[in-house]
Amino acid sequence: MNSNKGERFMRICLICFLVFMARADENPVWIRTGGPLGGLGYDVRMRPDNPDLMYVTDAYAGVFISENGGRTWFPSNQGITTRGGDSGDAIPVFCLTIDPHQPDIIWAGTQFQRGIFKSVDAGQSWTEMDEGIQDTEGITFRGFTVDPFNSEVVYAAAELSSWNWNPEPLPGREFDLTMGVVYKTTDGGDKWTEIWRGNNLARYIWIHPENPELIYISTGIFDREAADSDDDKDNPGGEGIVRSKDGGKTWENINTGMENLYVGSLFMHPDNPEILLAGTGNNAYGSGQGIYLTENGGDSWEKVLENDNINAVEFCGSEPDIAYAGSASAIYRSEDRGRHWEKMTEAEIGWGAPGVRAGFPIDFQVDPRNANRIFANNYGGGNFLSEDGGKSWIVASQGYTGAQARDVAVHPEDPVRVYCAARSGLFVSANSGQIWEGLNRFPADMLEWNVVAVDPRDARHIVAGTNWNATLVESRQEGAEWRSRGPLLPPGCGFRSVVFAPSDPEIIYAGTSGFYSAGVFDPVMDAAGMAVSRNGGEDWEWINDTYTAKANVYHMAVDPSDPLVVFAATGNKGLLKTQDGGTSWDPVTAGLPAMLHFTMVAVDPHNGQRIFAAPYQSGLYRSVDGGTAWKMMTSGLIPEMKISDLIFDPLRPDVIYLSDLHSGVYRSDNGGDSWTPVIAGLRTRAVNALSISADGMHVYAATEGEGIFRLDYADLPVRVRRGAEPPGTFHIVSLYPNPFNSSITLVYTLNAPAHVRIDAVSLRGERIEYVQDRMQPAGEHRIRWDASRFCSGTYVIRLRVNEKILLKKCLLVR
């Protein structure tokens, strides 16, 4: 390189660095991506006079509206003041009903605490209207029904959690023991009065369209247990269906013929109110579950479909002979008013859109214009649409998410490709989070995902963990296919942490945690410790000693240069360290609080001696000598934080981000000495995990209830051309290490002999240096570029094979 070109290049590097630093000093705003789908969906409703105006609810993210028939959604929660969740940001709207007489009036109810809200402007704004509701905490509103003759008369069905009526939570066989209550207003919500209370939650209320004194209540649901159930005696308890003939003054149980009293769904025929469908079932008490039909107003019931836990039933308003029913396993359709049923979905287990394992279809909405067009909102998250009578489904959730995103991982070279592990599934976005695609394909076709990790040298290689089953899954094709991997776990355990060794990604570590319910980990429960694969995830072995055999592992971190040095933050064994790849583990205690519950540990990828660790709600600690001595970092941080993750900028070692489940994201520009909150635009501050692009300009946050957020320090992320093109000629295996500080190695394979030319070029396309130019035989090849004489910055490796060209970005850090 001549001196003029060298000076010009140095000036370009300096300008880029100054621009980078200037942007880093700005106050960027988090962007809500609106995905992936997920959360705790509940109701879906169409406006009766305009079915393209739709509403859905989520127990983490509130009310969402679609004005185009479910294609896109936007949140609308102005005036809904009830909050929940770890950070107090969750908007726990559970149910929603449109007034059939005045569709601008909408009722919404909240979860776990008193909150009835009314909108008179079609959901644009809300007013709290719950005077007279005696239950304040532990009440969840499950449904509203408006009197068929009078909009001022409204009924509210609710669940009473065990801590509402018992001094403390009272678990049953698997779920909370609940009671139920129904309130009534006769003045449009100004005052409510209790009219029924019983031993299971109240879900649906139906009123006879010709006799408003005749009222039905369905009670129970699949994931709660009746207050009068008795696990020891195998007694499910419950209320079943309750009826009043005098407007709610007196009640009777009408369960003749019912073999399961957990009635999670009830629907009245639109033309004949003597006909009702009931969907029954419970995960803890499944005997007798299925679909029940009455043709005499509930005096007796007949089982018309058995052996499935039915979560939703519905008649079609435009063609009343057609009915739908759904479970977590299948969607059913009847064309004779619910007497006979046909399974519509083809999968043996599960339903939903391709690549997506839908959850429990908790509510249906049939389009009044088309009996074959049906929406399903579901526990597990997401709104789905079928336009062929339930046979096939597409995701109808663009912009609507309450996803409990548990982990996020950015492609190591391409800042627009992002992976997410959520309770609702595994997902990928190829455009920075604008659109998310499900990756749930057998054997990864389940819910409750906790972790996803991408190989730093081969981004096609992904490992993920769930607590739905007892193994890990691995893909070598970016999630297009999966294989079961990892050692089998004992019951009540799931993989929660997976980390590739930066210096040798053939070595992968995994940590386990214990859980008492799907997706809900308990740090003090025994788990199964740690495991390792030494051949890229093909085979696994346990690496526990006597002390760690039941360790409950939150987080793991590997030294950047020594793959045998590993730290583990556990909930029941404290902070652990191994220097021999897991043959032995030592507690790390000097200078740290004397406690066994740690939530996070991170090793600086630029300097393996610098380590951060977070004891539970006891601050952040830093070691600069490999974990021997520790110092508490207090400036700018809240001592009671529950720190969930900590990541380092790939280019600037002193720029660090951490996440907290209570207060959001913080940034340090001085190696952790002081911290500044970075929360503008972050609708929920309950952040589970962070990931950063290779250029350090884009940070992704996985939140508990709002999906993925993105923080940009530059313009929108730009796609990098990656190694799948051109097919059949060559393939890039890896470019490592990336970022690098001296030299970088390109590994590629040729399918046939070819002329290969490799250059290093600038982002402006100027050639910096020839690397290689010659004929090469078929097979794998490695070429090393020594960049020690160049300044820090982003460069491009240009690979030309015959007439095909591929560009790969790399980051030089000096």
Side-chain angles (χ1 to χ4, degrees):
M1 181 185 297
N2 61 45
S3 59
N4 289 335
K5 285 187 175 180
E7 290 174 2
R8 181 184 178 192
F9 180 69
M10 291 295 289
R11 287 197 299 270
I12 291 172
C13 286
L14 178 60
I15 292 171
C16 290
F17 178 75
L18 292 175
V19 170
F20 185 99
M21 291 300 294
R23 285 173 171 168
D25 288 337
E26 295 175 357
N27 296 313
V29 175
W30 288 95
I31 296 170
R32 175 183 171 273
T33 70
L37 65 86
L40 194 57
Y42 205 70
D43 281 340
V44 52
R45 298 285 185 266
M46 287 178 172
R47 184 176 168 115
D49 59 342
N50 177 14
D52 284 334
L53 184 57
M54 299 182 63
Y55 302 84
V56 291
T57 66
D58 184 87
Y60 289 91
V63 177
F64 289 78
I65 301 176
S66 174
E67 298 175 338
N68 52 20
R71 289 195 298 273
T72 59
W73 300 85
F74 59 89
S76 185
N77 297 296
Q78 181 180 343
I80 297 179
T81 54
T82 302
R83 292 293 185 269
D86 291 291
S87 61
D89 294 312
I91 309 173
V93 177
F94 220 59
C95 62
L96 180 145
T97 294
I98 302 172
D99 187 324
H101 315 297
Q102 302 180 58
D104 280 347
I105 297 178
I106 306 174
W107 295 92
T110 58
Q111 183 188 37
F112 293 147
Q113 53 187 307
R114 181 176 62 194
I116 293 178
F117 293 87
K118 181 180 181 180
S119 174
V120 296
D121 56 8
Q124 299 304 309
S125 62
W126 301 86
T127 301
E128 189 168 2
M129 306 272 300
D130 50 27
E131 184 179 345
I133 303 295
Q134 299 301 309
D135 305 282
T136 55
E137 299 295 326
I139 184 170
T140 295
F141 293 97
R142 293 274 182 171
F144 294 92
T145 298
V146 181
D147 185 278
F149 298 100
N150 186 354
S151 291
E152 296 291 295
V153 179
V154 184
Y155 296 83
E159 163 194 342
L160 300 176
S161 301
S162 61
W163 60 91
N164 171 279
W165 49 271
N166 194 62
E168 58 185 20
L170 192 62
R173 176 178 289 182
E174 186 176 353
F175 303 105
D176 185 50
L177 297 181
T178 63
M179 298 184 69
V181 65
V182 173
Y183 284 92
K184 177 181 180 180
T185 180
T186 58
D187 54 14
D190 287 337
K191 182 75 173 181
W192 296 83
T193 304
E194 178 184 323
I195 62 171
W196 178 86
R197 188 174 291 246
N199 281 315
N200 212 341
L201 65 87
R203 169 63 171 118
Y204 283 99
I205 299 173
W206 284 94
I207 304 172
H208 195 287
E210 300 169 359
N211 177 14
E213 297 289 296
L214 183 53
I215 307 169
Y216 299 86
I217 304 172
S218 71
T219 69
I221 206 163
F222 71 94
D223 64 345
R224 297 291 191 274
E225 296 174 36
D228 62 344
S229 64
D230 190 331
D231 183 19
D232 293 336
K233 296 180 180 179
D234 196 30
N235 176 15
E239 298 280 0
I241 296 176
V242 186
R243 180 176 65 188
S244 174
K245 295 181 178 180
D246 54 12
K249 296 182 180 67
T250 61
W251 298 89
E252 60 179 333
N253 296 83
I254 51 169
N255 300 315
T256 301
M258 283 250 180
E259 300 171 21
N260 190 295
L261 300 185
Y262 288 81
V263 187
S265 186
L266 183 70
F267 209 92
M268 182 179 285
H269 192 277
D271 291 344
N272 184 351
E274 295 295 301
I275 299 175
L276 292 96
L277 281 176
T280 71
N282 184 265
N283 288 7
Y285 296 100
S287 178
Q289 63 191 11
I291 304 174
Y292 289 83
L293 171 70
T294 180
E295 296 176 329
N296 55 18
D299 290 338
S300 62
W301 297 85
E302 177 185 357
K303 187 192 290 185
V304 291
L305 186 143
E306 59 183 353
N307 298 325
D308 203 351
N309 187 340
I310 300 298
N311 311 126
V313 293
E314 180 153 344
F315 283 108
C316 175
S318 60
E319 297 185 41
D321 284 348
I322 295 176
Y324 292 94
S327 71
S329 300
I331 303 297
Y332 303 90
R333 176 181 163 117
S334 170
E335 297 186 353
D336 59 0
R337 297 190 174 194
R339 181 154 291 281
H340 299 92
W341 294 86
E342 177 186 0
K343 182 181 177 182
M344 304 304 291
T345 45
E346 297 181 355
E348 291 186 12
I349 299 176
W351 64 282
V356 178
R357 174 70 178 270
F360 301 85
I362 204 65
D363 191 55
F364 285 141
Q365 178 73 76
V366 182
D367 192 325
R369 302 162 297 187
N370 182 352
N372 290 319
R373 192 168 187 265
I374 179 172
F375 287 87
N377 198 7
N378 74 110
Y379 274 32
N383 195 50
F384 295 84
L385 168 65
S386 174
E387 297 186 296
D388 56 9
K391 293 180 182 179
S392 62
W393 296 82
I394 61 172
V395 174
S397 301
Q398 182 66 32
Y400 161 50
T401 184
Q404 294 159 276
R406 297 292 168 78
D407 200 9
V408 60
V410 185
H411 189 287
E413 299 165 4
D414 193 345
V416 305
R417 190 168 183 85
V418 189
Y419 296 92
C420 174
R423 290 196 65 184
S424 49
L426 284 171
F427 299 91
V428 64
S429 174
N431 54 12
S432 311
Q434 297 176 54
I435 298 174
W436 293 86
E437 174 190 353
L439 296 177
N440 286 44
R441 303 176 179 90
F442 181 83
D445 53 344
M446 69 273 294
L447 304 175
E448 307 296 349
W449 292 93
N450 312 312
V451 60
V452 59
V454 182
D455 189 327
R457 293 188 187 173
D458 180 3
R460 298 168 301 163
H461 185 203
I462 306 168
V463 178
T466 172
N467 64 351
W468 191 274
N469 66 9
T471 64
L472 294 166
V473 295
E474 177 197 38
S475 176
R476 298 277 179 172
Q477 297 180 12
E478 296 186 314
E481 56 78 30
W482 297 95
R483 293 175 292 177
S484 292
R485 294 292 188 220
L488 289 176
L489 290 173
C493 287
F495 286 101
R496 192 175 186 181
S497 177
V498 174
V499 58
F500 287 84
S503 60
D504 184 0
E506 287 291 296
I507 299 178
I508 313 170
Y509 294 93
T512 68
S513 282
F515 63 91
Y516 60 85
S517 181
V520 183
F521 288 105
D522 187 333
V524 301
M525 288 181 64
D526 287 342
M530 290 75 73
V532 67
S533 172
R534 307 185 196 279
N535 56 6
E538 295 290 326
D539 303 292
W540 293 79
E541 61 180 294
W542 293 109
I543 48 170
N544 296 313
D545 55 25
T546 303
Y547 182 70
T548 66
K550 295 184 178 181
N552 190 319
V553 183
Y554 269 60
H555 217 253
M556 300 184 76
V558 185
D559 184 279
S561 58
D562 188 344
L564 301 183
V565 176
V566 187
F567 290 84
T570 77
N572 59 352
K573 302 294 181 180
L575 183 63
L576 305 172
K577 178 181 181 180
T578 179
Q579 300 186 76
D580 52 19
T583 301
S584 62
W585 294 87
D586 297 310
V588 181
T589 59
L592 293 172
M595 61 190 309
L596 297 178
H597 189 175
F598 279 72
T599 61
M600 185 281 302
V601 63
V603 180
D604 186 345
H606 311 282
N607 175 9
Q609 294 297 299
R610 187 167 65 165
I611 304 155
F612 290 85
Y616 179 70
Q617 293 189 325
S618 297
L620 176 70
Y621 287 77
R622 181 182 67 190
S623 172
V624 294
D625 58 6
T628 301
W630 296 84
K631 179 182 178 181
M632 187 176 184
M633 315 308 297
T634 59
S635 180
L637 298 180
I638 302 169
E640 297 78 16
M641 300 171 75
K642 187 177 179 181
I643 296 173
S644 54
D645 202 2
L646 187 146
I647 59 172
F648 300 83
D649 187 300
L651 298 181
R652 291 174 294 163
D654 283 338
V655 176
I656 311 171
Y657 300 85
L658 71 79
S659 59
D660 171 39
L661 272 173
H662 300 314
S663 58
V665 179
Y666 295 76
R667 170 177 162 141
S668 173
D669 292 304
N670 51 23
D673 288 340
S674 61
W675 298 84
T676 303
V678 186
I679 57 175
L682 197 62
R683 280 188 19 138
T684 178
R685 292 164 296 161
V687 180
N688 286 312
L690 299 169
S691 189
I692 191 168
S693 60
D695 58 6
M697 292 298 220
H698 310 283
V699 182
Y700 292 84
T703 71
E704 184 73 6
E706 286 271 9
I708 300 297
F709 283 74
R710 190 184 74 246
L711 187 70
D712 300 319
Y713 285 96
D715 294 330
L716 294 177
V718 179
R719 180 186 301 278
V720 179
R721 288 184 62 192
R722 299 188 293 116
E725 187 182 21
T729 305
F730 65 94
H731 183 77
I732 288 183
V733 175
S734 63
L735 184 66
Y736 71 94
N738 194 9
F740 68 108
N741 59 22
S742 179
S743 65
I744 190 167
T745 299
L746 174 69
V747 183
Y748 57 95
T749 57
L750 301 176
N751 295 334
H755 182 266
V756 178
R757 177 170 174 168
I758 302 173
D759 302 315
V761 300
S762 71
L763 289 176
R764 297 168 61 92
E766 300 170 325
R767 185 187 307 112
I768 303 301
E769 190 170 53
Y770 286 116
V771 180
Q772 176 180 281
D773 187 1
R774 59 193 173 98
M775 283 293 298
Q776 288 190 308
E780 182 175 288
H781 300 273
R782 295 172 181 264
I783 186 70
R784 176 176 170 271
W785 177 43
D786 183 358
S788 57
R789 63 194 184 93
F790 295 104
C791 67
S792 296
T794 301
Y795 298 87
V796 176
I797 301 297
R798 182 170 61 195
L799 174 65
R800 181 193 297 269
V801 178
N802 295 332
E803 298 304 316
K804 304 293 184 179
I805 297 176
L806 190 67
L807 306 176
K808 303 284 285 187
K809 278 188 179 180
C810 57
L811 301 169
L812 175 60
V813 182
R814 302 301 302 275

